[in-house]
Amino acid sequence: MKKLSETAAKIELGVSGKNTYTGDIRADEFLQALRGKKAIQKYREMRDNNAIVGSVMYAVEQTLRDVKIEVKPADDSPVAKAEAEFLQSVLDDMDHSLDDHISEALSYLTYGFSWFEVVYKRREGDFRSPKKNSKYEDGRIGIKKIAIRAPWTVESFEVDQNTGEILGMYQEANWGKRPALIPVEKSVYYRTTSLNNDPSGRSVLRNAYVSYTYLNKIQSYEAIAIERELHGVPVGRMPAEYMSADASVDQAALRGQFERILRDLKNNEQGYALLPSDLYVDADGKPTSQRLMDVELITANGSRSIDIDPVVKRYQHDIARSLMAEFLMLGSGSGSYALSKTKTDLFLRSLESYINTIVDVLNKQLVERLWQLNGLDWATMPKLVAGDVAPHDLREIAAFLRNINNAGIELQEHPEVVTDLMAIAEIDFDRKKYEERLAAAPVAEVVPES
C-alpha cells in the first residue's frame, strides 16, 4: 500500500453531497412539492394549519424557553470568572432577551434551518445613537441584536464550488433591490442536520408530510360529507327541450340560471330557490299537478360503510409519532402510565438535543467570534451551558441517595454531587462554605476492636 504523504492528506478530494453546491433550497429532495421555496411554504402551512403539528411546536417552544442557559467560566481563576461575567453582560445588553432568540431559533426545526444576522456594537455607555447604546462603557465590542432572517425570505445559499462549504445566504430584498449576501462570518446559522451538506438541513416535519397530505384530503371529504348529509344533494327537473342540444337561446339561458340555483343552493338564512309556477298540461290541454320546473333534495338513508374517525385518528397518530410526541394522543384512547412516561421521556430527550444544538452553535459562531473581535485570550473564553429540560423526580433522587448510603459511599466527600443534588432540588447552596465546613470538621477517630 502506498504511503500517504502529508501533502495528499491535506487535500479534500470528494464532496459531501450531490447538487448541494448550487446553493438551492433542498436541491436533492426527490418530491417536487418539497423542493426549493415551495418546501418553505409547505412546512409553514403544516406548522400553522395543523393542530397536531402546531401543538407539538408550541410545546417545544414553551418548554425550551424555560430552560436556564448559564455562562460557565473556563476555569476557577479570577480572570476566567471576570470574562464569564463579561459574556453574561453582553447577553443582558442586547436589544432582546436570549429567551426570545431561542424561541426564534427553534424555527430551524420546522424549516430545517434558521439564519440570523449578528449586529455588533461598541460598548461606550449610554449614547443617543442606537448603534452605541449600551449599559456598559468598557470600550469592548458587544452585541446589539441577533436578528432573524425569515426562511421564506431566503433566496439561495452561497456555497464554495470546490469544497461545498457554506459561505453565506442571499436574502430577497424589496423595492426592486438585488438579493443581499449575508456572509456566514456575520451570522448565526442553525440547521437540523449536516447530512449531504444540504445548506437547508432537513425539517422535522418531513416524515409527517405524507400523513398530513392525506389527513387534509380526508378532513375535506368529511366536511363535504357532513354538509351533504345535513343539507342533501339538490336535484332539479325541467322540460327536456330546455336540455337538448337545439334549445333556443332563451331556453339555454334559463337552464344556465337554473344550474346556478342548484349549485349555490345552501340551507341558511339567505337560501332560497325561485321557480316558475307553470304546470304541465295533458293531451286535452288541461293543467296537471306536475310543475314544469322542480327542486328537491336527496338525503342519505342508513349508515355509512366507512367510519372516517378512526382513519383521521390514525393519521394524527402518525404525525405525532413522527415528531416523537405521540403521548399527546394518549388521552383520546387507552394508555398506561408506564407507556405515557416512556413516550414523554423520549420526547424530552429529543428536546435536550434541540437545546444543546442551539447552545453549541452559539458557542461556536457567537462566543468565538466575539472573542476574536475583542482580541481576548482563548484560554479564558467561557461557554454557554444549557440546564435540564425535564423536571427531576425527587422520589427517584431519594432512592438514589439510599442506594449510595447502602453501598457505604460517603456523600459528603463528593461536594460536586451535593452541589448538583441541591440544584436539582432548587435549594440555595454555597459549595465554598460547604467545603470550608468539611475542612473544619473534626476527623472521627477509629477505635480498634479489642
Side-chain angles (χ1 to χ4, degrees), residues 107 149 153 199 202 204 235 241 246 249-250 259 294 313 334 343 363 390 435:
S107 62
R149 301 298 175 243
T153 66
R202 186 179 189 273
V204 297
V235 176
E241 58 183 305
D246 55 352
V249 176
D250 292 338
E259 289 174 346
D294 194 11
K313 287 184 178 180
S334 61
K343 291 180 179 293
N363 284 325
E435 292 178 344

Coordinates of all heavy atoms in Angstrom, one line a residue, residues 107 149 153 199 202 204 235 241 246 249-250 259 294 313 334 343 363 390 435:
S107 N -37.2 27.8 15.1 CA -37.8 27.6 13.7 C -37.0 26.7 12.8 O -37.5 26.3 11.8 CB -38.0 29.0 13.1 OG -36.8 29.7 12.9
R149 N -33.6 36.2 10.1 CA -33.9 36.4 8.6 C -34.8 35.3 8.2 O -34.4 34.1 8.2 CB -32.6 36.4 7.8 CG -31.6 37.5 8.2 CD -32.2 38.9 8.0 NE -31.3 40.0 8.4 CZ -31.6 40.8 9.4 NH1 -32.8 40.6 10.0 NH2 -30.8 41.8 9.7
T153 N -37.8 34.3 3.2 CA -37.1 35.4 2.5 C -35.7 35.0 2.0 O -35.0 35.8 1.3 CB -36.9 36.6 3.4 OG1 -36.0 36.3 4.5 CG2 -38.2 37.1 4.1
P199 N -27.5 22.9 2.7 CA -27.5 24.1 3.5 C -28.8 24.3 4.2 O -28.9 25.0 5.2 CB -27.2 25.2 2.4 CG -26.6 24.5 1.3 CD -27.2 23.1 1.3
R202 N -32.8 19.6 7.1 CA -34.0 18.7 6.9 C -35.0 19.0 8.0 O -34.8 18.9 9.2 CB -33.6 17.2 7.0 CG -34.7 16.2 6.6 CD -34.1 14.8 6.7 NE -35.1 13.8 6.2 CZ -36.1 13.3 6.8 NH1 -36.2 13.6 8.1 NH2 -36.9 12.4 6.3
V204 N -38.0 18.6 10.6 CA -38.5 17.5 11.4 C -39.9 17.2 11.0 O -40.5 16.1 11.4 CB -38.5 17.9 12.9 CG1 -37.1 18.2 13.4 CG2 -39.4 19.1 13.2
V235 N -81.5 18.3 -6.5 CA -81.8 17.7 -7.8 C -82.9 18.6 -8.4 O -83.9 18.9 -7.8 CB -82.3 16.3 -7.6 CG1 -82.8 15.7 -9.0 CG2 -81.2 15.4 -7.0
E241 N -86.8 19.7 -23.5 CA -86.4 20.6 -24.6 C -85.4 21.7 -24.2 O -84.6 22.2 -25.0 CB -87.6 21.3 -25.2 CG -88.5 22.1 -24.2 CD -89.7 22.6 -24.7 OE1 -89.6 23.4 -25.8 OE2 -90.8 22.3 -24.2
D246 N -80.5 21.5 -29.3 CA -81.0 22.5 -30.2 C -82.0 23.4 -29.4 O -82.9 24.0 -30.0 CB -81.8 21.9 -31.4 CG -82.9 20.9 -30.9 OD1 -82.9 20.6 -29.6 OD2 -83.7 20.4 -31.7
V249 N -81.9 30.1 -27.5 CA -81.0 31.0 -26.7 C -81.7 31.2 -25.3 O -81.1 31.2 -24.3 CB -80.7 32.3 -27.4 CG1 -79.9 33.2 -26.5 CG2 -79.9 32.0 -28.7
D250 N -83.0 31.5 -25.3 CA -83.7 31.8 -24.1 C -83.8 30.6 -23.2 O -83.6 30.6 -22.0 CB -85.1 32.3 -24.4 CG -85.1 33.7 -25.1 OD1 -84.1 34.4 -24.9 OD2 -86.1 34.1 -25.7
E259 N -79.2 26.0 -13.3 CA -78.0 25.3 -12.8 C -77.3 26.1 -11.7 O -76.8 25.5 -10.8 CB -77.1 25.0 -14.0 CG -77.6 24.0 -15.0 CD -76.7 23.8 -16.2 OE1 -75.8 24.7 -16.4 OE2 -76.9 22.8 -16.9
D294 N -88.8 21.9 -11.0 CA -88.9 21.5 -9.7 C -87.5 21.3 -9.0 O -86.6 21.0 -9.7 CB -89.7 20.2 -9.6 CG -90.2 19.9 -8.2 OD1 -90.1 20.8 -7.3 OD2 -90.7 18.8 -8.0
K313 N -57.9 9.7 13.1 CA -57.0 9.5 14.3 C -55.7 8.7 13.9 O -54.7 9.0 14.5 CB -57.8 8.7 15.3 CG -58.9 9.5 16.0 CD -59.6 8.7 17.1 CE -60.6 9.6 17.8 NZ -61.3 8.8 18.9
S334 N -57.0 4.5 25.1 CA -56.4 3.8 26.3 C -54.9 4.0 26.3 O -54.2 4.3 25.3 CB -56.7 2.3 26.2 OG -56.1 1.7 25.1
K343 N -42.9 7.4 26.5 CA -43.0 8.3 25.4 C -42.7 9.8 25.8 O -42.0 10.5 25.0 CB -44.5 8.3 24.8 CG -44.8 6.9 24.2 CD -46.2 6.9 23.6 CE -46.5 5.6 23.0 NZ -45.7 5.4 21.8
N363 N -22.0 28.9 21.0 CA -20.6 28.9 21.5 C -19.6 29.0 20.3 O -18.6 29.6 20.4 CB -20.3 27.6 22.3 CG -20.9 27.6 23.7 OD1 -20.9 28.6 24.3 ND2 -21.4 26.5 24.1
A390 N -36.0 18.3 31.4 CA -37.1 17.6 32.1 C -37.0 17.8 33.6 O -35.9 17.9 34.2 CB -36.9 16.1 31.9
E435 N -17.5 23.3 51.7 CA -16.2 22.7 51.7 C -15.4 23.2 52.9 O -14.6 22.4 53.5 CB -15.5 23.0 50.4 CG -16.1 22.3 49.2 CD -15.4 22.6 47.9 OE1 -14.6 23.6 47.9 OE2 -15.6 21.9 46.9

